[in-house]
Amino acid sequence: MTSPDRLSAASIAAAVNSGATTAVTVAEDTFARVEAYNAVQPQIWISRATRSELLDAAEAVDARVAAGEDLPLAGVPFAVKDNIDVAGFETTAACPAFAYEPEDDAGVIERLLAAGAICIGKTNLDQFATGLNGSRSPYGIPRNASNLNYVSGGSSSGSSVSVAAGLVAFALGTDTAGSGRVPAAFNHLIGMKPTKGRWSTRGLVPACRTIDCITVFTDDTADARLVDAVIAGYDVADPYSKPLADQPLAMKRIGVPRSEQRVFFGDVESEYLYDRAIAKLATLGEIVEIDLAPLLEAAQLLYGGSWVAERTAAMADILATNPLAVDPTVRAVVEPGKDMSAVDLFNGIYRMADLKRHADLLWQDIDMMAFPTTGTTYRVAEMLAAPVALNSNLGLYTNFVNLLDMAALAVPAGIRANATGFGITLIGPADTDRALLDAADAYLAVADLPAPPPLDLEGKMQTVKLAVVGAHLKDMPLHWQLTSRDAEFVGAFETAPNYRLYAIADSVPPKPALVHSDEGAPIKVEVYELGVAEFGSFTVDVPAPLAIGNVTLADGTSVKGFVSEPRALNGAEDITHLGGWRAFIASKG
């Protein structure tokens, strides 16, 4: 298959309602898309409608349109995370031993079907919605749609990929700690996490019932608005539902973490993309640095405090009767809740009230927050090797939001060199959901973001970009060390203006030393791209006092490149004023 165009819910509904197409035609196309992508990632689905079932549902929609109904989601295909009940499909929560057949649709499903949407199937997830990475499921590991080596994000893994791969126009996920935002960021999507109680959670397998939210993944804010318009509203059958309210939101003061509190886990690309996003937001309002510490303390209570017991309560039956059916990592996360007392719980509630009051007072100084959705991403192999620690890293900027009753909207903010998405999350007080969509539109209008990368349909070779500054330049004595490793020339660039260049004394062949300096200048470099294994073998051959580190280019991006130990400057000649190694060689005749 080739990368299909992403689908638009609004355009499909308009076409079906106007008679420009039919729901049956849309269903046929959708079925073909899903079948084709199954050759790449069948594991994004736990169960799917048959072709016959889809066509029956589509014919019913066409009949309603023919009878004069104007359906806001006429014929729009959507997917549902498999911890949300859809009559006719099993609900598994990614645990076969837990599976049951619901008699009724969840509250949000009732409204979507009434609006003319067509459910394609149930999507994979981190078991019992416990995880932010997508690797904790017996049904397989959904992977990032743009780079199959990387995690999709979770727990709403399959839902995010189904939209990113152009299979459905939107997909429902859930969010307790970031599960509807992290996968959106990694897959270049909008991830709308509404205020608690705005969307009914009736028919949702709970993770932490008091803070769970159903969410949506879309390709743009218009579709997120459309879905919200259909399913938002009070549900008397849901004890956590509340009357619909929409509050305004200004963008005059935008809160971001203090510089020293921003953590990117060594991911310089994410740091650069976040700084770039802040610069764009600064054209829309004043950037205000805020203290992240109280928010992080609230987040710690979700997995390191008494809220773990709420997850344990949700899984009490299967933990008691069939604990081995639970994913080992999930079990390790939730079992400590068995040992928590009512005293622990109330002390946690009291502390959370203190932190909630602090968070509420923040809104006196800022109108909304704009945080990184995540500080980094990981390869699937890395996540499997350290499933708890790396998963925790992904939740640094997301875990506190539901606990403190905030609305949040994940939006794209750039693309890493490995094609995975970087995103920011706009966060506002409860009931500012529609206003956050407006704020997202304002940001995206100035963000100047590239289009999402093509789908990874076969698995990308992992590559590294390397800046060379001296003897490895084209036509220089050591250039063969790159060509012998099939390195591809990316382009000629300059570094940021904070480097100095020296000619190392008595080096054979002659080599330069590139040194970071606040009193530097731009230095000409060439950037090459080579496979990870080839990069590793290249690095082994780098002689002291040279080394490989990170080099910042003039546009602010960072690549691997030659750096130097301090001893490289012993007797070295400062040639910074020449601007590059070629000019120095030319000066020597």
Side-chain angles (χ1 to χ4, degrees):
M1 67 175 291
T2 58
S3 297
D5 295 332
R6 289 184 175 178
L7 301 178
S8 163
S11 61
I12 290 171
V16 173
N17 280 316
S18 69
T21 189
T22 65
V24 167
T25 300
V26 175
E28 290 274 24
D29 175 69
T30 301
F31 187 78
R33 288 170 180 251
V34 172
E35 285 290 294
Y37 195 69
N38 271 358
V40 182
Q41 291 208 73
Q43 69 272 21
I44 69 173
W45 303 99
I46 291 179
S47 57
R48 279 175 44 206
T50 65
R51 180 176 178 275
S52 176
E53 289 168 337
L54 288 182
L55 294 181
D56 286 348
E59 288 173 356
V61 169
D62 285 334
R64 292 172 64 188
V65 171
E69 289 190 65
D70 187 10
L71 303 174
L73 292 172
V76 176
F78 73 103
V80 181
K81 185 176 181 179
D82 197 19
N83 59 344
I84 302 170
D85 287 346
V86 181
F89 294 91
E90 276 194 334
T91 300
T92 71
C95 180
F98 173 81
Y100 63 91
E101 295 186 6
E103 295 183 1
D104 301 308
D105 292 316
V108 292
I109 302 299
E110 289 176 353
R111 297 189 179 195
L112 291 172
L113 297 180
I118 297 175
C119 180
I120 303 303
K122 307 292 290 295
T123 56
N124 204 351
L125 65 150
D126 282 313
Q127 193 178 77
F128 292 107
T130 301
L132 290 173
N133 62 86
S135 70
R136 302 171 179 176
S137 171
Y139 294 97
I141 300 174
R143 293 164 179 263
N144 190 287
S146 300
N147 189 328
L148 297 175
N149 295 291
Y150 282 79
V151 296
S152 60
S155 59
S156 309
S157 51
S159 286
S160 64
V161 176
S162 70
V163 177
L167 309 184
V168 293
F170 70 89
L172 297 186
T174 65
D175 190 308
T176 303
S179 296
R181 291 164 277 158
V182 172
F186 289 168
N187 289 284
H188 314 280
L189 300 172
I190 300 293
M192 183 179 182
K193 188 220 74 71
T195 301
K196 290 187 301 179
R198 181 179 180 87
W199 295 1
S200 172
T201 56
R202 172 171 54 89
L204 169 65
V205 177
C208 292
R209 192 177 179 195
T210 59
I211 60 173
D212 289 336
C213 295
I214 290 177
T215 70
V216 70
F217 298 99
T218 63
D219 195 43
D220 57 36
T221 56
D223 280 356
R225 278 190 184 84
L226 179 56
V227 172
D228 177 70
V230 169
I231 63 179
Y234 181 66
D235 180 359
V236 68
D238 173 12
Y240 292 96
S241 180
K242 67 178 189 180
L244 190 62
D246 285 309
Q247 299 297 326
L249 179 73
M251 288 188 68
K252 295 180 180 179
R253 300 163 300 171
I254 303 167
V256 302
R258 292 177 180 170
S259 298
E260 69 275 11
Q261 293 180 324
R262 299 173 196 170
V263 180
F264 294 95
F265 309 99
D267 187 338
V268 293
E269 281 188 284
S270 291
E271 184 175 9
Y272 164 73
L273 290 170
Y274 184 58
D275 288 343
R276 184 181 185 277
I278 290 177
K280 297 296 184 180
L281 287 165
T283 67
L284 303 173
E286 177 190 0
I287 301 300
V288 180
E289 292 195 348
I290 61 175
D291 183 8
L292 195 58
L295 304 181
L296 295 182
E297 184 182 346
Q300 180 61 27
L301 290 173
L302 186 62
Y303 283 111
S306 49
W307 268 261
V308 173
E310 188 168 18
R311 287 187 183 270
T312 313
M315 296 172 58
D317 288 345
I318 196 163
L319 287 172
T321 61
N322 194 359
L324 296 182
V326 179
D327 177 271
T329 303
V330 173
R331 192 168 66 245
V333 170
V334 300
E335 280 191 328
K338 294 178 179 179
D339 299 324
M340 292 181 182
S341 67
V343 173
D344 296 329
L345 172 61
F346 277 101
N347 284 333
I349 290 172
Y350 301 150
R351 183 54 184 155
M352 187 62 73
D354 291 336
L355 296 169
K356 175 75 163 59
R357 178 56 53 86
H358 172 86
D360 290 343
L361 292 173
L362 277 176
W363 304 123
Q364 297 179 3
D365 301 319
I366 58 175
D367 300 306
M368 73 173 190
M369 303 176 197
F371 283 11
T373 302
T374 69
T376 190
T377 187
Y378 297 106
R379 296 179 180 87
V380 171
E382 294 170 325
M383 185 60 64
L384 294 176
V388 175
L390 299 190
N391 186 84
S392 296
N393 292 347
L394 298 183
L396 177 69
Y397 298 108
T398 62
N399 286 352
F400 65 87
V401 172
N402 288 7
L403 289 164
L404 299 177
D405 196 16
M406 298 174 179
L409 186 73
V411 298
I415 303 172
R416 298 184 185 86
N418 59 27
T420 63
F422 174 81
I424 60 171
T425 299
L426 307 181
I427 305 169
D431 302 317
T432 58
D433 308 85
R434 303 291 284 191
L436 285 176
L437 288 165
D438 294 338
D441 285 339
Y443 163 70
L444 292 171
V446 300
D448 191 27
L449 298 177
L455 298 182
D456 181 5
L457 302 177
E458 298 177 347
K460 294 180 184 292
M461 183 180 79
Q462 293 300 286
T463 61
V464 177
K465 289 181 180 177
L466 172 70
V468 298
V469 70
H472 291 88
L473 296 168
K474 188 177 185 300
D475 300 324
M476 293 291 175
L478 298 181
H479 186 67
W480 65 269
Q481 293 184 345
L482 292 172
T483 57
S484 65
R485 293 172 169 86
D486 297 323
E488 293 188 8
F489 177 66
V490 176
F493 299 88
E494 286 189 339
T495 69
N498 48 4
Y499 288 93
R500 300 198 71 81
L501 190 66
Y502 298 83
I504 300 174
D506 303 321
S507 177
V508 180
K511 303 181 192 71
L514 187 68
V515 178
H516 191 275
S517 172
D518 291 336
E519 298 179 354
I523 303 297
K524 294 183 185 300
V525 298
E526 291 176 357
V527 175
Y528 292 83
E529 188 167 15
L530 62 168
V532 170
E534 289 75 16
F535 172 74
S537 69
F538 178 89
T539 303
V540 168
D541 289 340
V542 174
L546 299 178
I548 298 295
N550 292 321
V551 173
T552 303
L553 302 180
D555 65 358
T557 59
S558 178
V559 296
K560 293 300 179 185
F562 279 88
V563 295
S564 306
E565 300 175 13
R567 58 177 167 151
L569 303 189
N570 294 338
E573 178 185 355
D574 189 337
I575 60 172
T576 306
H577 64 284
L578 296 174
W581 186 247
R582 290 190 189 279
F584 171 72
I585 294 298
S587 73
K588 296 299 182 181

